[in-house]
Amino acid sequence: MNGGQIIAKVLQNHGVKFLFTLCGGHISPIFVGAEQLGIRVIDTRHEATAVFAADAVARLTGVPGVAAVTAGPGNTNAITAVKNAQMAQSPLILLGGAAATLLKGRGALQDIDQISLLKPIVKWAVSIGQVKDIAPVMEKAFRVAQSGTPGPVFIECPIDTLYPKEMVLEWYGAKNQKGPAGIAASLKQWYIRRHANQLFKDSEKVAFETKPEQVQVPNFSQAQLEKAIQMLRKAKKPLIILGSGAMSQPKKVEDLASAVRKLGIPVYLSGMGRGLLGPDSDIQVRHKRKEAIKDSDMIILAGVPNDFRLDYGNHIGSRPFISIHRDIKELMLNKKPTLPIQADPIDFLIAVSSHFSLEGHEWISQLKQRDAARDGEIQAQSELPTSGLNPLDLLLNLEKNLDQNAVLIADGGDFVATASYTLRPRGPLSWLDPGAFGTLGVGAGFAIGAALVYPDRPIWVLFGDGSAGYSLTEFDTFQRHGLRITALVGNDACWTQIARDQVDFLGSDCAVNLEFSDYHLVPKAFGGDGIKIEAKGEINHAIEIAKASNASGKSFLINAIIGKTDFRKGSISV
């Protein structure tokens, strides 16, 4: 087996079904080996897309997503996506090509110090030095990526560790040499042969673990459980804020949903937590979170740090709160919890639900009334005339037409933030957004990953017209791999999230203006389809056409020309 085949075998043993890549000579044996073993290879048009797709698969399945990119610019192109996975705490393995071990530091093609670049943003960065090390390094990578706080791992794979031994010896000039003349030539041949022998030493003795090692997850104590129950029993107005950090075990999300319902505590869902309780729930609250926190007397943060989204802990103030997180840094960020619990929030909330259920409905009724009032305001604002489609009206119409098993991908600023107020994800793991890094460009990659994990479910990508520019070329990838995806572009010819602040604060619209471009023509160039809409009466028809196009095997793009509103006036972009 060559090195690429060894890697593929480990991937197969760990249940990896998809390998994402952008081809390169340094890494060809990896994806060829994967194809030989029946792992589906998805080649994208940008390395970042490949990593975003791997990230999405990890979030939706719990199995680390895997991407392979070539040396040098292949790895540097992937860095933003890797950092996004780190901050979102997604288990991911990046396999990066590299110059031959014999040529490192000697000016080989695309030879740079990749370990130093990736090391600060991954849990573990390692370079393969011998072929015999590939399998154990890969095994460790899966363990590290999933244990403790999940996150990405980088494995640098020099080209000579991946190709067959005979081919590498020929590259080295160490095969069938007949007595080179001169001492210098003899020493050179001796050094090359010695290096080759070390590189392939014991490579024929590769052994694969039949059962991957168990992932280590921090757990809570009985004392912590009892203390939490005591705090809940004293509280009159408890509140749960549940986020992406509570969704690290996708196979348990239905159990989590049952536990949250059993607890009966009003809950705000954010990030990957959106959709946990379905589109309608007696206990989920959607609006005025800051005010709800102010009115409560005890908070549970489940997989949510006290970062900018909670004003660095200032929203919680002096009231008691429990925080549950697998990551100790996120657990203690900015404000020490009354009861800090380093554990998986899913496991802890399930345990608590066996001992506690909130009695009385006055508290939740108060919050639901506030919710209803805000929904009324949104409905009223959706009916106001604008120069193009009112974005609120557009999104409310999409909400009415979404299938019950639809998956929503969020990639944008102002338009996507508006969508978060109006769209109701249909179930657990049906909403994907970049997370705390706020990365634009995740849309196509996340959609690819979601479409592969859920081949029979409608996949909707919500793009701002700014973020759409990062990955519309991936409609080529959608079509080549038979992925039926619909994109909705909110096109107001502006980077509106930035313009809101910049124009008010600095009095200039420099660098924030775009054009009302014909984004719907892009899919047609790759075999997909699209439509432009500008009037209210065209919305539902466009959605029907998109669904029909998907049914015929085509991806689709709705280019919605939207107008300006004051809906998010006062929101900040930093």
Side-chain angles (χ1 to χ4, degrees):
M1 298 176 73
N2 65 41
Q5 292 170 322
I6 294 171
I7 288 173
K9 183 62 178 174
V10 177
L11 297 183
Q12 183 187 56
N13 289 349
H14 281 266
V16 172
K17 296 181 179 180
F18 314 107
L19 174 66
F20 302 96
T21 191
L22 195 158
C23 66
H26 287 86
I27 57 168
S28 292
I30 297 176
F31 52 81
V32 170
E35 181 189 43
Q36 291 169 345
L37 292 182
I39 296 171
R40 189 169 176 184
V41 178
I42 306 295
D43 54 312
T44 64
R45 299 300 299 268
H46 196 287
E47 289 87 355
T49 301
V51 178
F52 286 136
D55 183 347
V57 168
R59 297 188 193 200
L60 297 174
T61 68
V63 177
V66 184
V69 300
T70 199
N75 282 297
T76 56
N77 281 347
I79 284 177
T80 295
V82 174
K83 181 64 182 179
N84 192 79
Q86 181 211 31
M87 293 188 67
Q89 298 176 356
S90 295
L92 184 147
I93 296 173
L94 177 65
L95 304 167
T101 56
L102 189 66
L103 299 176
K104 278 193 172 185
R106 297 180 60 194
L109 176 67
Q110 299 176 334
D111 180 26
I112 60 173
D113 183 2
Q114 299 173 151
I115 294 293
S116 293
L117 283 173
L118 272 297
K119 189 174 182 179
I121 62 171
V122 297
K123 293 184 70 177
W124 184 44
V126 62
S127 183
I128 300 293
Q130 293 180 282
V131 175
K132 69 176 183 179
D133 294 334
I134 293 176
V137 165
M138 288 290 298
E139 294 289 350
K140 181 177 178 180
F142 274 93
R143 185 172 68 253
V144 171
Q146 298 174 87
S147 294
T149 303
V153 168
F154 174 62
I155 302 176
E156 184 182 68
C157 307
I159 187 171
D160 51 353
T161 67
L162 299 178
Y163 279 84
K165 181 178 181 179
E166 293 301 309
M167 187 177 294
V168 173
L169 291 176
E170 189 170 323
W171 290 347
Y172 280 178
K175 185 178 179 183
N176 300 323
Q177 292 293 323
K178 296 182 179 179
I183 295 176
S186 296
L187 286 173
K188 180 180 178 181
Q189 280 297 310
W190 172 84
Y191 176 78
I192 291 173
R193 289 179 181 276
R194 178 177 176 274
H195 183 88
N197 288 336
Q198 283 295 112
L199 182 68
F200 290 97
K201 182 180 180 182
D202 297 329
S203 60
E204 71 283 356
K205 299 178 181 179
V206 175
F208 299 96
E209 292 188 19
T210 56
K211 186 177 181 181
E213 289 188 34
Q214 188 173 1
V215 174
Q216 299 299 312
V217 178
N219 205 356
F220 56 90
S221 68
Q222 183 63 29
Q224 289 174 322
L225 177 61
E226 292 173 358
K227 176 64 175 176
I229 294 168
Q230 289 175 9
M231 291 176 66
L232 281 169
R233 286 174 177 163
K234 290 180 181 179
K236 302 297 182 183
K237 295 181 177 182
L239 194 67
I240 296 175
I241 303 174
L242 187 149
S244 298
M247 306 298 286
S248 295
Q249 300 184 73
K251 293 179 181 178
K252 292 184 178 182
V253 292
E254 293 293 348
D255 294 333
L256 174 62
S258 296
V260 173
R261 291 188 185 101
K262 188 175 179 181
L263 285 168
I265 300 171
V267 58
Y268 281 91
L269 301 174
S270 63
M272 286 288 293
R274 293 176 185 272
L276 179 68
L277 303 178
D280 297 296
S281 167
D282 292 338
I283 60 171
Q284 183 182 347
V285 196
R286 303 179 64 247
H287 304 302
K288 304 290 186 179
R289 188 174 71 178
K290 182 178 178 180
E291 289 84 346
I293 292 173
K294 182 179 179 180
D295 291 341
S296 70
D297 59 4
M298 204 277 283
I299 306 290
I300 296 177
L301 299 183
V304 176
N306 269 307
D307 60 12
F308 68 94
R309 292 166 289 190
L310 289 174
D311 194 24
Y312 311 99
N314 291 324
H315 285 176
I316 290 178
S318 60
R319 60 186 45 79
F321 75 102
I322 300 168
S323 183
I324 317 109
H325 212 295
R326 285 170 68 162
D327 186 278
I328 188 65
K329 182 179 178 181
E330 300 254 293
L331 181 66
M332 307 299 289
L333 187 66
N334 293 314
K335 193 176 190 67
K336 184 178 180 181
T338 310
L339 178 59
I341 301 170
Q342 187 180 10
D344 193 293
I346 285 185
D347 298 329
F348 186 76
L349 291 177
I350 290 173
V352 173
S353 71
S354 297
H355 301 275
F356 178 84
S357 181
L358 184 66
E359 298 178 359
H361 301 285
E362 291 184 11
W363 171 225
I364 186 64
S365 295
Q366 175 186 338
L367 297 175
K368 282 290 191 178
Q369 289 172 10
R370 187 181 289 161
D371 247 23
R374 181 57 173 148
D375 282 335
E377 292 172 359
I378 292 172
Q379 180 63 45
Q381 287 180 283
S382 76
E383 297 168 2
L384 296 175
T386 61
S387 56
L389 289 163
N390 184 312
L392 284 166
D393 185 52
L394 169 66
L395 291 162
L396 287 172
N397 273 276
L398 175 59
E399 165 62 24
K400 294 174 185 176
N401 285 278
L402 278 178
D403 293 291
Q404 288 306 306
N405 61 345
V407 179
L408 299 169
I409 313 295
D411 184 9
D414 195 73
F415 181 66
V416 168
T418 301
S420 70
Y421 285 89
T422 52
L423 299 180
R424 300 172 185 254
R426 295 329 199 216
L429 301 174
S430 61
W431 173 279
L432 284 84
D433 61 31
F437 203 25
T439 313
L440 295 183
V442 303
F446 279 11
I448 290 168
L452 291 167
V453 174
Y454 302 134
D456 299 320
R457 295 175 62 176
I459 310 297
W460 284 82
V461 191
L462 308 174
F463 283 119
D465 53 345
S467 62
Y470 285 85
S471 58
L472 284 185
T473 305
E474 299 296 347
F475 267 88
D476 172 57
T477 308
F478 301 167
Q479 287 303 118
R480 285 186 294 105
H481 292 282
L483 307 177
R484 296 171 294 177
I485 294 164
T486 299
L488 173 62
V489 178
N491 184 355
D492 62 357
C494 185
W495 295 89
T496 302
Q497 180 92 345
I498 308 304
R500 285 188 187 279
D501 295 345
Q502 182 177 306
V503 174
D504 285 349
F505 298 161
L506 303 177
S508 171
D509 64 357
C510 175
V512 298
N513 291 317
L514 297 168
E515 297 289 339
F516 287 106
S517 300
D518 289 334
Y519 298 110
H520 58 290
L521 300 181
V522 175
K524 296 182 181 183
F526 299 117
D529 207 348
I531 190 172
K532 179 194 286 188
I533 59 174
E534 302 179 74
K536 179 180 175 65
E538 300 173 322
I539 298 174
N540 291 343
H541 180 59
I543 294 172
E544 290 175 5
I545 295 175
K547 290 182 178 182
S549 183
N550 283 177
S552 70
K554 291 184 177 182
S555 286
F556 198 85
L557 187 148
I558 301 173
N559 182 15
I561 306 302
I562 60 175
K564 308 291 186 183
T565 74
D566 290 333
F567 178 66
R568 299 191 65 249
K569 187 174 180 61
S571 63
I572 59 172
S573 58
V574 292

